[in-house]
Amino acid sequence: MACSINFPVSGKPISQTSASLIPSPTKTLKLSTSVSPLPSIGFISGASLRLNETLKVRGSKKSSAVVTALAVPVIASVKPEPLKIMISGAPASGKGTQCEQITKKYGLVHIAAGDLLRAEVAAGTENGKQAKEHMEKGQLVPDEIVVMMVKERLLQPDSQESGWLLDGYPRSLSQAKALEDFGIQPDLFILLEVPEEILVERVVGRRLDPVTGKIYHLKYSPPETEEIAARLTQRFDDTEEKVKLRLRTHHQNVEAVLSRYEGVTVKVNGNVPKEEVFAQIDSILTGLIKQKKAASDLAGVRHDSPSSEGTESLKQVAC
């Protein structure tokens, strides 16, 4: 005994067998009771099915099959691209504190060129050996070596999977161009802005505890005890004259870098409590993630959206 059903469901065939069964949305499917009544449903696109609509196929008293469709249109899952963030700020702008907060909340891989350089030298990598030669001669490490280190770190699996936060780099237009040549572009370039007089005050008042490595500030974060206060030291370049020179260099370099990232730059007020600074950054990153999610969802809809012929529900048919 054979039974005929109308099967008005669209979807791209996934196998030659399935394609031969349903070459068009309204083809009549004949099933024999001597074989399995539903040889395959793999050709049905999930985006064309609706929930709890049941297709029953009856042949003889001994054979029947039931297929229950899915609830709502199923859209292909497209994972949003991970965040790619660069952050810059003058000395004492609070960049280190904000990097810590960002990586803690968003799970980004924190990459600082200075730390990377020291790690590569300690590990004895090829880049590290070349860098060490220049450092031992009292020379600056050439941009091409540092850029290569940064590029390789950004392309490692954890950075690609979780996203990255590039701290204080690039510092010059040439470095930015070199990264661009490698196809490395940020989603966002965050610039912490603090008035120069505040930066000078923050730097000049900084002190280091040589025993614990903790940084104090005579005004904003004084030492807990007289004993600690007595052993604090000041960096040789944390003087007003030297910090103003460093700030001048920073401003010149960052302006050149910003010209490269003009379309993705956001300026954040860093002259407020650190919690408020992070609240600004957090709001920006949350909005960026929503945009990425919306874009990935839209890509999934475009990829798997059913044709108009496939929007009809499955019908129950009995022989």
Side-chain angles (χ1 to χ4, degrees), residues 1-5 21 28-40 57-65 319:
M1 173 181 176
C3 133
S4 297
I5 59 172
L21 286 174
T28 297
L29 173 65
K30 293 185 179 293
L31 300 175
S32 170
T33 57
S34 60
V35 295
S36 172
L38 287 177
S40 171
V57 180
R58 296 191 184 89
S60 67
K61 295 181 179 179
K62 296 182 178 179
S63 117
S64 63
C319 297

